[in-house]
Amino acid sequence: MKLPGRFLMTLLLYVLRRLAYMAPVLLGVTVLAFLISHAIPGDPAQLIAGPKASRETVENIRRTHGLDQPLPAQYWRFLHGLSQGDLGVSIRSHRPVLEDIRDYLPATLELTLASLLLCLGLGIPLGILAAVKRNTVVDHLTRVFSVIGVSTPVFWLGLMLLLVFYRHLGWLPGSGRLDVTMAAPLRITGMYTVDALLAGDWQALRNAASHLLLPAFCLSYVYLAIITRIVRSSMIAVLGQDYIVTARANGLSEARVVLKHAFKNSLIPTVTIVGLSFGELMGGAILTETIFSWPGMGKYVVDSVNYLDFPAIMGFTLMVSLAYVCVNLAVDVLYAAINPTIRY
Amino acid sequence: MSKQLLDVQGLSVTFTTHQGTARVLEKVSLSLQAGEILGLVGETGCGKSVLARSILRLIPQPPGRIHEGRIMFQEKNLLKLSARAMRSVRGRCISMIFQEPLSSLNPVFTIGNQMREMARLHLGLGREAANEHCAAMLARVRLPDARGLLRKYPHELSGGQRQRVMIAMELSCGPQLLLADEPTTALDVTVQGQILQIIKEQAAQRDMAVLLITHDMGVVAQTCDRVAVMYAGVVVETATVADLFARPEHPYTQGLIAAIPGRERIQQLLTIPGTVPDLVTPPPGCRYHPRCVLRVKNCNRIEPELSTIGAQHAVACHLSAGKPQENWRRP
Amino acid sequence: MLTLRILSRNPSAAAGGGILAVMVCMALLAGVLAPYEPVEINLSERLQGPGADHWFGTDEMGRDIFSRIMYGARISLRIGFFVVAIAGGLGALIGATAGYLGGWVDNLMMRVMDVIISFPSLVLAMALAAAMGPSLNNAILAVAFVMIPKFARMVRGEALAVREMPFVLASRVAGAGHAWIILRHILPNCLNSVIVLATLTLGDAILIAASLSFIGLGAQPPMPEWGAMISVGRKFLMDQWWYATFPGLFILFTVVGFNILGDALRDVLDPRIRR
């Protein structure tokens, strides 16, 4: 498909319009995050200073952090800091939260991308199969599989996977991103599998991939169930449309009818769900990383929860929400690209 | 008389529903010659569309099932063809256009994409040649700026344009038979005439047969050579257009013609009382008898056979079988 | 009643209802049926595998896991019920008001709902629970807060349609106030969809609350909450598999029960909502 300049212009305008619409919502997100972080029981200055700090130190911190000012002023200060990428300083690590997050981001990205690949790679074919073989054994099995999927506690599934594949079968490693004896590949993206691939280090690649497999599967299962379900139902709806009859009447093969004519139409609702389910994926990452000791943002935030490290918790929450909003914006744009009846 | 292009013999089709098995087509027979336009009329739900789809073997199975009969097309029984052979008939030898052109074109592909796909499949054309071919086809149905049109999506066209695109697409591989399922019902009256004109022209130019399904007797009078009237899954009468309007034999046909608005200065619109029967448990004997004003004793017991009563005129009615039945009277 | 009769003929609804009936019986009759006290410590029988004495084994304090799971059913069902009652009640009220009044009220309320939805649900629930302090009640409030927009958005959509119905106009002509119309006309007409969504949300609520307990933000040990039990059982996973396995199975069963019952209810009551 050729993309003329006019098309790109309208696309850009569309993105800008969506951003303008999202601005109040994004502002609301910061307000809510700010309010939550100020609803902490106890004195935030005391928390930052630590339990053994002297009265003067606490007062000092209160003043330097602006905690003695009225709430709106504090919020303004918070927003100002945010615009400079200042998410506060972690109580636990004494480092800026943004730096912490930056360190943990690649591991989470690697895990979530791998899960997404698994989900789409398995979920779409499974959904299509169930729709085409509607009301057969295959369809019923898929239904059972997806009902169980959306009902399984992720953390429990992780433990069960560990029990079977690590403890009993011993096929896969149970924690971390690499064997302790192995050096991390040269850092390019920070995602070990990708870096190892780029460096051509096959041994590291195999090792990193084997560590990735269980957590990625664990994280993808819920999501997989959702995707399979939506692909199935949208595919069934599309297969009943008149243009499918036309395609068949035109003598196209069944494979072409399903994989070209029906599939692209069924992608329209699917894409929306993929964006919305990104939230599930982030929630799941918190639990999965904890179970598999995967050193990503999710494990970071759970460790912070246990330490009541509020700047870290709120920094994570804010970053994830912003990412969530951006992913859904991207999905909207993609949606418009797939569906020509949408006008920018 | 030349060889029949399409010859449907004793075709019976059932659909399984929650209420039971519906006998949607009951021993339907009809035939078409090359270049002939046959109108197929009847009320909604009488099985017209099922018949057209059965010819292309496009009824969903299950719930649908073709029980018996033959569909001879160019001396081959379509019901006996392999799936692959059937696919090469669809779109190439027999094409079909539908009532609602918007929903019949795939909304997410351009007109060109959909038209080229067919031309490349059946005619083995390359991309550029297919493009040329499709543009030429669009021009033949009198659509201006054919090249620009190929880059458009269905929703960017008007209803009449879309139906012309459909016709151009379905004619692009030079079929010998076109099944047109209510092709003008969803269109404005002014556009209807143009579309019918195009179908008529193309049929004449290509010596192509057309099975034109409609519920509009006006469309039949304007376009067709012959007519088959269907009622509740049964063909009740076939005749040339002139014959049918002049001497309708079956009481149902008479009712249909009387119900045409504006005919013979009838002020009040005539309707046929009653509704189309439930096809799960169709009435015994003649399926029309519960609504028939001329009903006689045998009508609810014996199913009338389609029998010839004149040149190209056949009817399935006890009254016309040439044997006077006991106790029959005209009102 | 008609609903019940239709549901009883639907095999998957019957299965879902059956699972839930077992759970409810367990919760109600835990005091009678449970072979042991849920908090009874018996160090001489610690970490025993499943057997005739202890069907699902014992934990590190020698407590009977089967008995704890039975009492845990009470907690999980209570969590689900409260979350849905709070979120459903507030959400329906917000949605009905926004949809009925329209204008800036609608705009403002829905933008606030948009903000809440902009956070992934578990992430926001976690932040809220952490801010309020780790306890079961706070976890319930946190999960309920996260679920409000689901109800508000759906009820708003329904209210927009109900608002146009003639009886609403008639009521206004008769001099009824906005509050009266919202409570007596709008909300009752949204009830079916709320029930369906509530059933589907119950499962999610139990899952998220258990997840919070698992990361230490909900129920605290030694409370026999299923998520909290798994959280402790995790430390014994490698050698005492039964500890974490059984509570998880019961979470799974309960949530499956709500999900298939909810799906069936939706088919019967309200074919319009899609999840």
Side-chain angles (χ1 to χ4, degrees):
Chain A
M1 195 167 63
K2 272 175 279 176
L3 290 177
R6 220 181 85 242
F7 176 80
L8 287 178
M9 262 320 279
T10 47
L11 195 69
L12 190 67
L13 277 175
Y14 174 74
V15 172
L16 287 176
R17 242 198 355 261
R18 289 285 325 199
L19 277 174
Y21 175 81
M22 271 165 32
V25 172
L26 282 177
L27 207 64
V29 167
T30 62
V31 171
L32 186 56
F34 172 78
L35 288 179
I36 294 171
S37 58
H38 280 259
I40 318 164
D43 182 355
Q46 184 80 57
L47 264 173
I48 297 171
K52 281 168 286 183
S54 69
R55 187 100 168 269
E56 290 89 80
T57 328
V58 173
E59 281 308 313
N60 217 6
I61 284 177
R62 197 188 307 283
R63 219 167 314 113
T64 51
H65 284 71
L67 293 170
D68 50 349
Q69 289 169 349
L71 269 187
Q74 286 194 41
Y75 172 66
W76 181 247
R77 201 187 155 96
F78 167 79
L79 207 59
H80 185 74
L82 202 63
S83 65
Q84 327 244 300
D86 178 9
L87 292 170
V89 174
S90 159
I91 297 172
R92 192 162 51 105
S93 69
H94 302 291
R95 295 171 60 206
V97 171
L98 193 68
E99 273 180 33
D100 273 355
I101 288 181
R102 207 164 44 210
D103 286 352
Y104 290 113
L105 181 67
T108 300
L109 218 52
E110 182 176 34
L111 178 62
T112 45
L113 287 180
S115 306
L116 196 61
L117 272 178
L118 265 177
C119 290
L120 298 178
L122 288 176
I124 291 177
L126 214 55
I128 293 178
L129 192 69
V132 173
K133 305 261 175 209
R134 192 180 174 190
N135 288 335
T136 62
V137 184
V138 184
D139 185 25
H140 295 313
L141 281 179
T142 310
R143 198 173 113 86
V144 170
F145 164 83
S146 70
V147 168
I148 291 179
V150 292
S151 310
T152 306
V154 178
F155 53 96
W156 178 75
L157 177 67
L159 294 177
M160 294 304 108
L161 290 173
L162 276 181
L163 203 56
V164 174
F165 293 100
Y166 172 64
R167 170 72 176 80
H168 288 290
L169 297 175
W171 289 353
L172 292 163
S175 69
R177 300 174 70 189
L178 274 181
D179 283 349
V180 272
T181 53
M182 189 165 268
L186 183 69
R187 184 180 171 118
I188 302 167
T189 61
M191 296 188 262
Y192 287 178
T193 43
V194 177
D195 287 350
L197 193 68
L198 292 177
D201 185 348
W202 306 119
Q203 206 187 350
L205 178 66
R206 213 174 43 228
N207 197 276
S210 71
H211 279 82
L212 181 59
L213 199 59
L214 275 189
F217 178 76
C218 176
L219 180 52
S220 64
Y221 186 49
V222 177
Y223 205 54
L224 181 60
I226 298 174
I227 303 260
T228 307
R229 216 166 154 167
I230 188 75
V231 171
R232 174 187 179 272
S233 63
S234 59
M235 203 66 184
I236 284 176
V238 169
L239 283 173
Q241 296 292 321
D242 288 350
Y243 51 78
I244 296 301
V245 182
T246 309
R248 289 197 178 120
N250 285 352
L252 304 185
S253 67
E254 200 53 28
R256 214 173 160 84
V257 170
V258 171
L259 297 179
K260 179 185 169 188
H261 287 262
F263 180 61
K264 192 169 173 198
N265 280 284
S266 78
L267 266 184
I268 292 170
T270 306
V271 156
T272 314
I273 294 292
V274 169
L276 289 176
S277 306
F278 177 76
E280 309 269 340
L281 208 57
M282 286 318 298
I286 295 177
L287 300 165
T288 310
E289 290 183 1
T290 305
I291 298 288
F292 292 95
S293 307
W294 188 264
M297 288 157 64
K299 185 173 184 313
Y300 170 73
V301 78
V302 170
D303 291 343
S304 305
V305 162
N306 292 326
Y307 208 85
L308 288 181
D309 182 350
F310 273 93
I313 299 173
M314 291 325 298
F316 168 81
T317 306
L318 213 60
M319 290 308 287
V320 167
S321 308
L322 292 183
Y324 188 33
V325 172
C326 291
V327 164
N328 278 298
L329 174 70
V331 161
D332 276 353
V333 175
L334 190 63
Y335 186 94
I338 298 178
N339 188 353
T341 54
I342 296 270
R343 285 175 211 268
Y344 297 113
Chain B
M1 204 165 126
S2 62
K3 274 265 174 225
Q4 303 291 4
L5 176 71
L6 176 78
D7 190 24
V8 177
Q9 286 299 329
L11 184 68
S12 294
V13 174
T14 61
F15 269 76
T16 313
T17 65
H18 286 297
Q19 284 79 40
T21 305
R23 309 178 66 83
V24 180
L25 291 183
E26 186 75 23
K27 301 198 194 72
V28 167
S29 300
L30 52 82
S31 56
L32 262 128
Q33 291 172 33
E36 183 184 38
I37 301 183
L38 174 68
L40 185 61
V41 293
E43 286 161 288
T44 309
C46 71
K48 296 168 295 185
S49 297
V50 173
L51 175 58
R53 285 172 198 222
S54 301
I55 293 172
L56 280 180
R57 281 175 42 197
L58 281 175
I59 56 170
Q61 308 186 346
R65 205 171 96 105
I66 297 178
H67 273 267
E68 51 184 326
R70 293 177 295 155
I71 300 174
M72 304 302 292
F73 177 77
Q74 293 179 328
E75 325 270 279
K76 283 176 308 212
N77 187 352
L78 295 183
L79 296 179
K80 293 265 180 332
L81 289 188
S82 68
R84 174 184 276 272
M86 193 62 217
R87 277 206 303 274
S88 65
V89 171
R90 290 180 192 145
R92 167 140 214 192
C93 306
I94 307 178
S95 280
M96 187 159 176
I97 56 180
F98 300 91
Q99 177 171 347
E100 185 36 84
L102 178 57
S103 59
S104 308
L105 288 166
N106 198 325
V108 301
F109 295 107
T110 56
I111 304 294
N113 184 323
Q114 298 179 54
M115 288 188 74
R116 277 195 304 270
E117 182 174 28
M118 216 178 148
R120 295 178 74 167
L121 174 72
H122 291 306
L123 307 178
L125 299 178
R127 193 190 151 83
E128 260 320 299
N131 225 23
E132 283 301 322
H133 181 70
C134 295
M137 286 309 302
L138 288 175
R140 285 181 69 173
V141 294
R142 293 202 290 275
L143 281 165
D145 185 25
R147 290 231 155 226
L149 216 56
L150 287 174
R151 280 193 294 274
K152 292 208 162 142
Y153 287 95
H155 69 97
E156 296 172 299
L157 310 181
S158 72
Q161 283 178 314
R162 278 182 217 127
Q163 195 61 293
R164 281 188 231 186
V165 167
M166 266 311 277
I167 294 173
M169 177 157 103
E170 295 306 328
L171 297 186
S172 65
C173 302
Q176 289 91 39
L177 172 62
L178 177 70
L179 309 172
D181 189 353
E182 309 245 7
T184 57
T185 310
L187 303 176
D188 291 342
V189 185
T190 48
V191 184
Q192 272 190 22
Q194 297 169 10
I195 296 291
L196 292 173
Q197 192 53 42
I198 288 171
I199 291 179
K200 233 174 139 168
E201 267 174 32
Q202 294 293 327
Q205 281 175 21
R206 300 157 173 268
D207 199 25
M208 173 182 77
V210 179
L211 181 66
L212 180 68
I213 297 174
T214 178
H215 59 262
D216 185 342
M217 292 303 271
V219 168
V220 170
Q222 191 186 340
T223 322
C224 303
D225 303 320
R226 272 196 318 129
V227 197
V229 180
M230 270 186 90
Y231 180 79
V234 181
V235 173
V236 294
E237 184 162 6
T238 62
T240 60
V241 170
D243 230 16
L244 192 90
F245 280 91
R247 285 180 294 279
E249 267 297 319
H250 197 279
Y252 178 65
T253 316
Q254 291 165 3
L256 276 185
I257 289 172
I260 300 173
R263 237 179 109 81
E264 292 166 10
R265 290 201 210 98
I266 298 172
Q267 294 301 312
Q268 197 191 349
L269 209 59
L270 284 180
T271 55
I272 301 175
T275 52
V276 181
D278 165 23
L279 295 179
V280 175
T281 45
C286 171
R287 287 186 173 191
Y288 185 61
H289 86 261
R291 294 171 76 184
C292 185
V293 287
L294 306 175
R295 172 168 66 236
V296 295
K297 207 171 169 190
N298 274 341
C299 289
N300 61 1
R301 278 183 287 164
I302 302 166
E303 218 173 304
E305 300 261 319
L306 193 65
S307 44
T308 310
I309 58 163
Q312 298 196 52
H313 198 153
V315 65
C317 181
H318 292 308
L319 299 180
S320 315
K323 292 171 279 178
Q325 307 288 321
E326 44 187 316
N327 291 341
W328 76 274
R329 57 190 164 79
R330 286 205 185 259
Chain C
M1 281 331 281
L2 178 69
T3 313
L4 280 182
R5 211 172 318 141
I6 297 173
L7 278 182
S8 64
R9 292 207 198 109
N10 180 333
S12 67
I19 294 173
L20 294 176
V22 170
M23 293 298 160
V24 171
C25 285
M26 272 179 42
L28 291 178
L29 302 176
V32 186
L33 293 181
Y36 300 88
E37 280 296 308
V39 288
E40 184 184 301
I41 293 175
N42 185 348
L43 289 178
S44 64
E45 294 193 3
R46 57 196 299 270
L47 294 174
Q48 302 226 327
D53 287 345
H54 301 283
W55 289 0
F56 294 169
T58 61
D59 67 8
E60 80 281 12
M61 300 289 193
R63 295 174 295 210
D64 179 52
I65 290 179
F66 180 61
S67 305
R68 286 173 66 74
I69 285 177
M70 288 191 79
Y71 279 92
R74 285 186 179 177
I75 302 173
S76 285
L77 293 179
R78 205 172 65 208
I79 293 172
F81 177 78
F82 279 120
V83 166
V84 165
I86 297 171
L90 282 176
L93 205 59
I94 292 174
T97 311
Y100 172 69
L101 291 179
W104 67 269
V105 180
D106 180 27
N107 232 319
L108 181 73
M109 284 177 155
M110 285 304 119
R111 282 302 169 88
V112 172
M113 295 299 118
D114 285 350
V115 168
I116 301 178
I117 280 188
S118 302
F119 293 86
S121 37
L122 181 61
V123 174
L124 181 59
M126 184 194 70
L128 279 169
M132 290 188 289
S135 84
L136 182 57
N137 287 342
N138 287 344
I140 290 177
L141 289 179
V143 179
F145 182 79
V146 171
M147 299 289 185
I148 289 176
K150 273 192 177 186
F151 288 91
R153 282 186 157 188
M154 186 202 66
V155 170
R156 173 179 174 269
E158 302 257 303
L160 282 176
V162 177
R163 181 172 76 166
E164 305 300 331
M165 303 247 185
F167 56 82
V168 173
L169 185 65
S171 185
R172 262 166 94 173
V173 171
H178 289 327
W180 173 266
I181 292 176
I182 290 173
L183 289 176
R184 297 304 303 261
H185 291 301
I186 308 283
L187 280 176
N189 276 290
C190 304
L191 198 63
N192 273 356
S193 335
V194 172
I195 289 175
V196 173
L197 189 61
T199 314
L200 289 168
T201 307
L202 265 160
D204 279 357
I206 291 175
L207 268 186
I208 298 185
S211 305
L212 287 181
S213 296
F214 176 76
I215 54 181
L217 280 173
Q220 301 294 315
M223 196 187 244
E225 201 274 339
W226 295 338
M229 288 168 74
I230 298 174
S231 180
V232 181
R234 183 186 166 206
K235 298 179 192 121
F236 302 93
L237 181 71
M238 291 306 144
D239 298 306
Q240 283 84 29
W241 60 269
W242 58 88
Y243 195 159
T245 303
F246 289 113
L249 270 180
F250 277 77
I251 300 179
L252 175 61
F253 286 150
T254 313
V255 180
V256 164
F258 280 118
N259 276 336
I260 58 187
L261 183 66
D263 278 344
L265 264 178
R266 177 181 53 196
D267 293 344
V268 174
L269 284 181
D270 193 336
R272 277 166 302 166
I273 331 178
R274 291 271 179 275
R275 205 160 56 147

Short mmCIF file of all heavy atoms in Angstrom, two decimals, chain A residues 18-50:
data_model
loop_
_atom_site.label_atom_id
_atom_site.label_comp_id
_atom_site.label_asym_id
_atom_site.label_seq_id
_atom_site.Cartn_x
_atom_site.Cartn_y
_atom_site.Cartn_z
N ARG A 18 -6.54 13.05 19.21
CA ARG A 18 -6.69 12.08 20.28
C ARG A 18 -5.92 12.52 21.52
O ARG A 18 -6.38 12.38 22.64
CB ARG A 18 -6.19 10.69 19.84
CG ARG A 18 -7.07 10.02 18.83
CD ARG A 18 -8.32 9.49 19.49
NE ARG A 18 -8.03 9.01 20.84
CZ ARG A 18 -8.79 8.19 21.52
NH1 ARG A 18 -9.89 7.74 20.99
NH2 ARG A 18 -8.46 7.82 22.73
N LEU A 19 -4.71 13.08 21.29
CA LEU A 19 -3.90 13.53 22.42
C LEU A 19 -4.61 14.66 23.15
O LEU A 19 -4.64 14.69 24.38
CB LEU A 19 -2.53 14.01 21.93
CG LEU A 19 -1.50 12.92 21.72
CD1 LEU A 19 -0.24 13.48 21.11
CD2 LEU A 19 -1.18 12.23 23.05
N ALA A 20 -5.22 15.57 22.40
CA ALA A 20 -5.92 16.68 23.02
C ALA A 20 -7.08 16.16 23.86
O ALA A 20 -7.34 16.63 24.96
CB ALA A 20 -6.45 17.64 21.96
N TYR A 21 -7.74 15.13 23.34
CA TYR A 21 -8.84 14.54 24.09
C TYR A 21 -8.32 13.87 25.36
O TYR A 21 -8.96 13.90 26.40
CB TYR A 21 -9.55 13.51 23.20
CG TYR A 21 -10.62 12.74 23.91
CD1 TYR A 21 -11.89 13.29 24.08
CD2 TYR A 21 -10.36 11.47 24.40
CE1 TYR A 21 -12.87 12.58 24.74
CE2 TYR A 21 -11.34 10.76 25.07
CZ TYR A 21 -12.59 11.32 25.23
OH TYR A 21 -13.57 10.61 25.88
N MET A 22 -7.12 13.27 25.24
CA MET A 22 -6.58 12.52 26.37
C MET A 22 -5.97 13.42 27.44
O MET A 22 -5.77 12.98 28.57
CB MET A 22 -5.52 11.54 25.88
CG MET A 22 -6.09 10.20 25.49
SD MET A 22 -4.90 9.26 24.55
CE MET A 22 -3.37 9.81 25.26
N ALA A 23 -5.64 14.66 27.08
CA ALA A 23 -4.92 15.53 28.02
C ALA A 23 -5.62 15.62 29.38
O ALA A 23 -4.97 15.40 30.41
CB ALA A 23 -4.71 16.91 27.41
N PRO A 24 -6.93 15.93 29.43
CA PRO A 24 -7.56 16.00 30.76
C PRO A 24 -7.50 14.67 31.50
O PRO A 24 -7.31 14.66 32.71
CB PRO A 24 -9.02 16.39 30.46
CG PRO A 24 -9.18 16.36 29.00
CD PRO A 24 -7.86 16.31 28.36
N VAL A 25 -7.61 13.58 30.76
CA VAL A 25 -7.55 12.27 31.42
C VAL A 25 -6.16 12.04 32.01
O VAL A 25 -6.00 11.59 33.14
CB VAL A 25 -7.93 11.15 30.43
CG1 VAL A 25 -7.68 9.79 31.04
CG2 VAL A 25 -9.38 11.29 30.00
N LEU A 26 -5.13 12.40 31.23
CA LEU A 26 -3.76 12.23 31.73
C LEU A 26 -3.53 13.08 32.97
O LEU A 26 -2.91 12.64 33.94
CB LEU A 26 -2.76 12.60 30.64
CG LEU A 26 -2.56 11.54 29.57
CD1 LEU A 26 -1.60 12.04 28.51
CD2 LEU A 26 -2.03 10.26 30.19
N LEU A 27 -4.05 14.30 32.94
CA LEU A 27 -3.93 15.18 34.10
C LEU A 27 -4.63 14.53 35.29
O LEU A 27 -4.11 14.52 36.40
CB LEU A 27 -4.57 16.54 33.77
CG LEU A 27 -4.00 17.72 34.55
CD1 LEU A 27 -2.54 17.92 34.19
CD2 LEU A 27 -4.82 18.97 34.27
N GLY A 28 -5.81 13.96 35.03
CA GLY A 28 -6.54 13.26 36.07
C GLY A 28 -5.73 12.12 36.66
O GLY A 28 -5.73 11.90 37.87
N VAL A 29 -5.01 11.42 35.78
CA VAL A 29 -4.18 10.31 36.25
C VAL A 29 -3.14 10.82 37.24
O VAL A 29 -2.94 10.23 38.31
CB VAL A 29 -3.49 9.61 35.05
CG1 VAL A 29 -2.40 8.68 35.52
CG2 VAL A 29 -4.52 8.84 34.23
N THR A 30 -2.51 11.95 36.92
CA THR A 30 -1.51 12.48 37.85
C THR A 30 -2.17 12.93 39.15
O THR A 30 -1.61 12.73 40.23
CB THR A 30 -0.73 13.65 37.23
OG1 THR A 30 -1.64 14.71 36.95
CG2 THR A 30 -0.01 13.24 35.97
N VAL A 31 -3.37 13.52 39.06
CA VAL A 31 -4.06 13.96 40.28
C VAL A 31 -4.35 12.75 41.18
O VAL A 31 -4.05 12.76 42.38
CB VAL A 31 -5.39 14.69 39.95
CG1 VAL A 31 -6.19 14.95 41.23
CG2 VAL A 31 -5.10 16.00 39.25
N LEU A 32 -4.89 11.71 40.56
CA LEU A 32 -5.23 10.53 41.36
C LEU A 32 -3.97 9.93 41.99
O LEU A 32 -3.96 9.59 43.18
CB LEU A 32 -5.95 9.50 40.48
CG LEU A 32 -6.49 8.27 41.21
CD1 LEU A 32 -7.42 8.67 42.34
CD2 LEU A 32 -7.24 7.36 40.24
N ALA A 33 -2.91 9.81 41.18
CA ALA A 33 -1.67 9.25 41.71
C ALA A 33 -1.16 10.12 42.87
O ALA A 33 -0.72 9.61 43.91
CB ALA A 33 -0.61 9.17 40.61
N PHE A 34 -1.24 11.44 42.70
CA PHE A 34 -0.79 12.36 43.75
C PHE A 34 -1.62 12.17 45.01
O PHE A 34 -1.08 12.06 46.11
CB PHE A 34 -0.92 13.80 43.23
CG PHE A 34 -0.66 14.85 44.26
CD1 PHE A 34 0.64 15.16 44.65
CD2 PHE A 34 -1.71 15.52 44.86
CE1 PHE A 34 0.87 16.12 45.60
CE2 PHE A 34 -1.49 16.48 45.83
CZ PHE A 34 -0.20 16.79 46.20
N LEU A 35 -2.94 12.11 44.84
CA LEU A 35 -3.81 11.96 46.01
C LEU A 35 -3.53 10.65 46.74
O LEU A 35 -3.46 10.63 47.98
CB LEU A 35 -5.29 11.99 45.58
CG LEU A 35 -5.80 13.37 45.16
CD1 LEU A 35 -7.25 13.30 44.72
CD2 LEU A 35 -5.63 14.38 46.31
N ILE A 36 -3.34 9.58 45.98
CA ILE A 36 -3.07 8.30 46.63
C ILE A 36 -1.78 8.38 47.43
O ILE A 36 -1.72 7.99 48.59
CB ILE A 36 -2.96 7.15 45.61
CG1 ILE A 36 -4.31 6.93 44.93
CG2 ILE A 36 -2.50 5.87 46.28
CD1 ILE A 36 -4.24 5.98 43.77
N SER A 37 -0.75 8.99 46.83
CA SER A 37 0.53 9.00 47.53
C SER A 37 0.48 9.93 48.74
O SER A 37 1.34 9.87 49.60
CB SER A 37 1.67 9.40 46.58
OG SER A 37 1.40 10.66 46.03
N HIS A 38 -0.56 10.79 48.80
CA HIS A 38 -0.68 11.64 49.98
C HIS A 38 -1.70 11.11 50.98
O HIS A 38 -1.97 11.74 51.99
CB HIS A 38 -1.00 13.07 49.57
CG HIS A 38 0.24 13.78 49.13
ND1 HIS A 38 0.92 14.66 49.92
CD2 HIS A 38 0.94 13.66 47.99
CE1 HIS A 38 1.98 15.08 49.27
NE2 HIS A 38 2.03 14.49 48.09
N ALA A 39 -2.26 9.96 50.66
CA ALA A 39 -3.22 9.37 51.59
C ALA A 39 -2.52 8.35 52.49
O ALA A 39 -3.15 7.68 53.27
CB ALA A 39 -4.35 8.70 50.82
N ILE A 40 -1.19 8.28 52.35
CA ILE A 40 -0.44 7.30 53.16
C ILE A 40 -0.69 7.56 54.64
O ILE A 40 -0.64 8.71 55.08
CB ILE A 40 1.08 7.46 52.93
CG1 ILE A 40 1.37 7.69 51.47
CG2 ILE A 40 1.84 6.31 53.51
CD1 ILE A 40 2.76 8.22 51.25
N PRO A 41 -0.95 6.49 55.38
CA PRO A 41 -1.09 6.70 56.82
C PRO A 41 0.26 7.13 57.40
O PRO A 41 1.30 6.67 56.94
CB PRO A 41 -1.51 5.32 57.33
CG PRO A 41 -1.03 4.37 56.30
CD PRO A 41 -1.04 5.09 55.00
N GLY A 42 0.23 8.03 58.32
CA GLY A 42 1.48 8.46 58.93
C GLY A 42 2.09 9.63 58.18
O GLY A 42 1.56 10.14 57.21
N ASP A 43 3.25 10.01 58.61
CA ASP A 43 3.90 11.22 58.14
C ASP A 43 4.88 10.89 57.01
O ASP A 43 5.82 10.12 57.22
CB ASP A 43 4.66 11.83 59.34
CG ASP A 43 5.32 13.13 58.96
OD1 ASP A 43 5.28 13.50 57.77
OD2 ASP A 43 5.89 13.76 59.86
N PRO A 44 4.64 11.43 55.79
CA PRO A 44 5.54 11.09 54.69
C PRO A 44 6.98 11.51 54.97
O PRO A 44 7.92 10.81 54.58
CB PRO A 44 4.95 11.84 53.50
CG PRO A 44 3.92 12.77 54.03
CD PRO A 44 3.53 12.28 55.37
N ALA A 45 7.15 12.62 55.65
CA ALA A 45 8.51 13.09 55.93
C ALA A 45 9.23 12.08 56.83
O ALA A 45 10.39 11.74 56.60
CB ALA A 45 8.47 14.46 56.61
N GLN A 46 8.49 11.57 57.80
CA GLN A 46 9.05 10.56 58.71
C GLN A 46 9.45 9.31 57.92
O GLN A 46 10.50 8.73 58.14
CB GLN A 46 8.02 10.21 59.78
CG GLN A 46 8.49 9.25 60.84
CD GLN A 46 9.33 9.94 61.92
OE1 GLN A 46 8.86 10.88 62.56
NE2 GLN A 46 10.56 9.49 62.11
N LEU A 47 8.57 8.94 56.95
CA LEU A 47 8.84 7.76 56.12
C LEU A 47 10.13 7.92 55.34
O LEU A 47 10.94 7.01 55.25
CB LEU A 47 7.69 7.52 55.16
CG LEU A 47 6.63 6.52 55.59
CD1 LEU A 47 5.48 6.52 54.60
CD2 LEU A 47 7.25 5.12 55.68
N ILE A 48 10.28 9.12 54.74
CA ILE A 48 11.47 9.36 53.94
C ILE A 48 12.72 9.35 54.83
O ILE A 48 13.75 8.77 54.48
CB ILE A 48 11.34 10.70 53.18
CG1 ILE A 48 10.17 10.64 52.21
CG2 ILE A 48 12.65 11.04 52.46
CD1 ILE A 48 9.82 11.96 51.58
N ALA A 49 12.58 9.99 56.00
CA ALA A 49 13.75 10.12 56.87
C ALA A 49 14.13 8.80 57.52
O ALA A 49 15.29 8.58 57.87
CB ALA A 49 13.46 11.16 57.95
N GLY A 50 13.14 7.94 57.67
CA GLY A 50 13.43 6.67 58.34
C GLY A 50 13.06 6.77 59.82
O GLY A 50 12.92 7.87 60.36
#
